[in-house]
Amino acid sequence: MNKMDYISIFGLVSVLYLIIRVDARAHEVQGIDQNKVGFDDNYVVTWGQNNVLKLNQGKEVQLSLDRSSGSGFESKNHYESGFFQIRIKVPPKDSSGIVTAFYLTSKENTHDEVDIEFLGNKEGKPIRVQTNVFTNGKGDREQKLVLWFDPTKDFHTYAILWNPYQIVFYVDNIPIRVFKNTTSEGMNYPSKPMQVVVSLWNGEDWATDGGKSKINWALAPFKANFQGFNNSGCFANGEKNACGSSTYWWNTGSYSKLSDSEQKAYTNVRQKYVNYDYCSDKVRFHVPPSECKWNN
């Protein structure tokens, strides 16, 4: 996708954004100024310490990837429901083989996980966003889309809503994927306490062209920047079902499904920008996985 493609699409996303903003349910963290929440308030560096740089008095963090290491950080707390968002600017130019990730995970062998991953690409080609959902250690629920803007040029907000009804992935308040809680139908749904994890790492074995396009180390270090470190979530405390309470705003009935304006924007994204859905992959799945009939 060239520069003119991004410009021509920009008008469309502006309209979609207005649709979302007309809805009174704009997903802003209630009562908290995002710009006043520093990295150290909610997060800790977990690996690649030499490749982590704190900027603007801890209001921005830069992760780097070089031949020696990638880097990452995670939330201090475990959560059992919430609305989690962060602003990201991914590595520019030739980022083939590089993965920038923002996700929730419980980490153990039979882990639950909810992923947003940016799959780097050769310069001039679009960076794809891959989402995935793991339950009890089983994933293989990938969906991929090309964004309507260039995510290397500026910060954009990426978010995950996780409540007893649904998981919704958002880009700048626009829903791009919904994964519904269908445990009543015998399906699995992420329910284990999870941390928020952010990382920049070497995924050249699979991330770009199925692993054919490798990292150009002559361009290292590769850098991704992050802002907005607040999480609106219920801390895991061992009390059963406590984090499903409707006293938390993200668990109220209005967040049990998409609003009408969100549904319109979501339908547009699904029709125009999604270019891979595991539910439609007949090579991998001769019969679509059971949850697909509720999530399409």
Side-chain angles (χ1 to χ4, degrees):
M1 186 178 293
N2 59 36
K3 182 177 180 181
M4 290 307 296
D5 289 328
Y6 283 117
I7 292 173
S8 63
I9 290 173
F10 182 78
L12 173 59
V13 73
S14 297
V15 173
L16 290 176
Y17 185 75
L18 288 173
I19 291 173
I20 296 299
R21 298 305 295 183
V22 167
D23 193 310
R25 302 174 1 163
H27 301 293
E28 301 295 337
V29 176
Q30 298 185 1
I32 297 176
D33 184 346
Q34 290 290 298
N35 295 324
K36 292 184 179 180
V37 178
F39 174 85
D40 293 326
D41 294 325
N42 285 327
Y43 287 95
V44 60
V45 175
T46 50
W47 65 291
Q49 283 81 355
N50 292 334
N51 285 347
V52 180
L53 180 63
K54 297 178 184 179
L55 305 168
N56 190 21
Q57 297 181 324
K59 301 301 188 296
E60 182 175 333
V61 166
Q62 182 181 86
L63 298 183
S64 296
L65 167 71
D66 56 28
R67 281 187 177 275
S68 65
S69 179
S71 48
F73 57 88
E74 67 183 28
S75 63
K76 296 177 180 178
N77 297 300
H78 290 73
Y79 303 91
E80 289 186 317
S81 69
F83 183 74
F84 310 94
Q85 63 181 357
I86 196 165
R87 290 175 57 76
I88 303 173
K89 183 166 64 172
V90 301
K93 299 183 178 180
D94 186 348
S95 58
S96 297
I98 297 169
V99 178
T100 307
F102 164 57
Y103 59 103
L104 311 177
T105 182
S106 63
K107 293 185 178 179
E108 73 275 7
N109 290 336
T110 56
H111 67 295
D112 289 349
E113 188 167 300
V114 182
D115 296 336
I116 297 178
E117 297 175 311
F118 298 83
L119 309 183
N121 211 338
K122 296 178 180 179
E123 186 171 4
K125 291 189 175 183
I127 292 172
R128 293 200 292 177
V129 174
Q130 174 174 281
T131 60
N132 202 355
V133 177
F134 287 75
T135 58
N136 293 324
K138 180 184 180 301
D140 297 329
R141 299 183 176 97
E142 301 93 345
Q143 292 184 4
K144 299 176 185 178
L145 76 156
V146 175
L147 295 168
W148 46 89
F149 55 84
D150 183 348
T152 73
K153 298 298 184 183
D154 203 354
F155 288 94
H156 291 267
T157 302
Y158 305 89
I160 299 169
L161 169 71
W162 171 38
N163 66 24
Y165 312 106
Q166 60 181 350
I167 293 167
V168 184
F169 300 80
Y170 290 93
V171 175
D172 290 339
N173 288 331
I174 297 174
I176 62 168
R177 181 176 183 178
V178 177
F179 187 86
K180 297 177 182 178
N181 184 348
T182 54
T183 52
S184 62
E185 304 293 338
M187 304 298 104
N188 291 322
Y189 185 75
S191 58
K192 298 174 182 177
M194 294 193 282
Q195 290 173 278
V196 184
V197 179
V198 177
S199 60
L200 183 67
W201 54 283
N202 180 347
E204 66 178 2
D205 288 344
W206 64 275
T208 309
D209 301 326
K212 295 178 182 178
S213 296
K214 304 298 184 180
I215 294 176
N216 181 357
W217 291 111
L219 301 176
F222 302 92
K223 300 176 181 180
N225 289 61
F226 305 86
Q227 299 173 343
F229 300 110
N230 185 71
N231 295 317
S232 277
C234 174
F235 298 162
N237 60 11
E239 185 177 345
K240 188 176 181 180
N241 299 325
C243 287
S245 170
S246 60
T247 58
Y248 297 108
W249 62 264
W250 55 85
N251 290 338
T252 57
S254 60
Y255 293 93
S256 64
K257 61 181 181 179
L258 299 183
S259 68
D260 290 344
S261 58
E262 284 179 319
Q263 186 62 53
K264 290 177 182 177
Y266 176 61
T267 299
N268 184 77
V269 168
R270 303 296 300 175
Q271 292 175 345
K272 296 184 177 180
Y273 302 109
V274 173
N275 55 21
Y276 176 81
D277 184 347
Y278 76 107
C279 289
S280 303
D281 191 336
K282 295 182 180 180
V283 175
R284 291 176 63 193
F285 305 101
H286 297 297
V287 176
S290 299
E291 72 269 10
C292 290
K293 62 182 176 182
W294 287 286
N295 291 320
N296 284 338

